[in-house]
Amino acid sequence: MNPPELLPRPTLRVDTNDSSPRPESAPEDAPIRVCDFSLAYGTFQAIKQVSLTIPAREVTAIIGPSGCGKSTLLRSMNRMNDFVSTVRTEGEILYRNVNIYANDCDPVELRRRVGMVFQRPNPFPKSIFKNVAWGARINGYRGNLNELVEESLQKAALWDEVKDKLHQNALTLSGGQQQRLCIARSIALQPEVLLMDEPCSALDPIATSRIEDLIDQLKSQYTVVLVTHNMQQAARVSDRTVFMLMGELVEVDRTSVIFTKPKEQRTQDYISGRFG
């Protein structure tokens, strides 16, 4: 059966030198909508009736204590949880108004549109060039691979550091460089959305700062959803913040509001360190 209509892919390329403020995303421009979505692993209810809109070309951070469901929610946005045999879902997650949990949705195509960067860098034991080109090559990319690799590494702020050693093993890079390489690998598939699951948790402060700067640059072209246990990081890099607790969405608002004037007492208790 053919996948639902996901083409043409929305064009999000903009002039990265344009410093003019971006308008608030119109509701119809939101690439991802979570609609009364629940997920369980066997008998364990990990997410409970969450509804959420992810605005285009912004960074949305998801925070909350360990086990609150934030990573589960993130992985649900490109069906990474399909690999868990006991998973059950209810409700909908819409990508460009297509229910990604419909039987005729192609998860492989979905993951090209909604890329994923994991907690720990996971480069292939291949050259830097092959790491970036791998996904595009196996998906039948017919353009100039050299140009694609260079462009992706430029966008990941890594090109200047590796341009003279593209054929060296990627595992020789530092941890921070490996994580930026993994971001470049995702970018090479030309996604619209980038999901990042605690991408700095295994990195030192200097590498973390580089990744945070990169996230700020990426939002001019991509919609970024970031799970982080680091509230200071959420405050630094995100436009909107989602607070989750025990599988429930407690509050979502502009990041400045969440960290200064939250509406929910549970949010205030969490950001002030009273629990979690």
Side-chain angles (χ1 to χ4, degrees):
M1 183 176 293
N2 292 327
E5 182 60 38
L6 288 177
L7 297 174
R9 179 177 303 161
T11 299
L12 292 181
R13 296 181 181 274
V14 298
D15 181 1
T16 56
N17 294 318
D18 181 6
S19 60
S20 59
R22 294 184 307 281
E24 286 286 316
S25 300
E28 62 271 15
D29 190 40
I32 292 181
R33 299 170 185 271
V34 183
C35 306
D36 201 22
F37 184 76
S38 299
L39 183 145
Y41 297 117
T43 60
F44 174 67
Q45 194 73 38
I47 302 176
K48 305 171 185 175
Q49 296 182 310
V50 167
S51 293
L52 175 66
T53 298
I54 304 296
R57 282 177 286 172
E58 292 190 358
V59 179
T60 299
I62 306 176
I63 64 172
S66 297
C68 70
K70 54 187 185 292
S71 289
T72 296
L73 177 61
L74 186 80
R75 290 166 181 258
S76 298
M77 293 179 188
N78 71 347
R79 290 181 51 173
M80 290 298 293
N81 289 316
D82 282 9
F83 298 106
V84 181
S85 61
T86 59
V87 72
R88 294 181 294 106
T89 64
E90 295 179 0
E92 295 181 331
I93 296 182
L94 305 179
Y95 170 70
R96 291 297 174 194
N97 296 318
V98 172
N99 179 14
I100 68 172
Y101 282 90
N103 290 334
D104 57 352
C105 179
D106 181 0
V108 175
E109 175 63 17
L110 171 68
R111 292 174 194 135
R112 288 172 56 191
R113 306 294 182 87
V114 184
M116 187 89 183
V117 178
F118 295 95
Q119 185 172 2
R120 292 185 176 275
N122 60 341
F124 304 138
K126 301 178 182 294
S127 71
I128 294 167
F129 183 95
K130 287 183 178 179
N131 264 269
V132 180
W134 187 262
R137 181 175 280 160
I138 65 174
N139 280 285
Y141 181 75
R142 296 185 179 182
N144 187 312
L145 275 175
N146 291 325
E147 292 179 358
L148 178 67
V149 169
E150 179 176 348
E151 180 184 14
S152 301
L153 289 168
Q154 290 274 15
K155 289 181 178 179
L158 189 58
W159 173 252
D160 289 342
E161 298 169 45
V162 302
K163 62 184 178 182
D164 296 323
K165 48 185 178 181
L166 293 177
H167 300 290
Q168 291 184 18
N169 194 307
L171 298 179
T172 64
L173 298 175
S174 69
Q177 288 174 323
Q178 287 185 19
Q179 191 65 299
R180 281 181 283 148
L181 178 66
C182 293
I183 293 171
R185 189 172 65 193
S186 294
I187 288 173
L189 288 172
Q190 300 177 325
E192 180 181 4
V193 181
L194 282 174
L195 309 178
M196 297 187 169
D197 191 1
E198 299 195 22
C200 303
S201 64
L203 304 181
D204 61 61
I206 294 176
T208 293
S209 178
R210 294 293 300 273
I211 297 293
E212 289 181 359
D213 289 343
L214 175 57
I215 290 170
D216 188 58
Q217 295 169 29
L218 289 172
K219 72 178 181 181
S220 67
Q221 295 185 325
Y222 306 95
T223 298
V224 179
V225 188
L226 168 72
V227 161
T228 179
H229 66 279
N230 186 325
M231 287 187 287
Q232 290 77 20
Q233 182 174 83
R236 286 191 297 265
V237 305
S238 68
D239 300 287
R240 290 162 56 86
T241 296
V242 178
F243 172 55
M244 292 188 67
L245 184 64
M246 298 178 66
E248 298 179 357
L249 191 157
V250 176
E251 186 170 356
V252 55
D253 211 322
R254 306 302 296 178
T255 295
S256 58
V257 174
I258 290 290
F259 283 95
T260 58
K261 296 179 181 178
K263 298 177 179 64
E264 294 284 338
Q265 185 61 46
R266 288 176 294 174
T267 309
Q268 178 63 47
D269 290 345
Y270 180 71
I271 65 175
S272 64
R274 293 175 190 163
F275 74 86

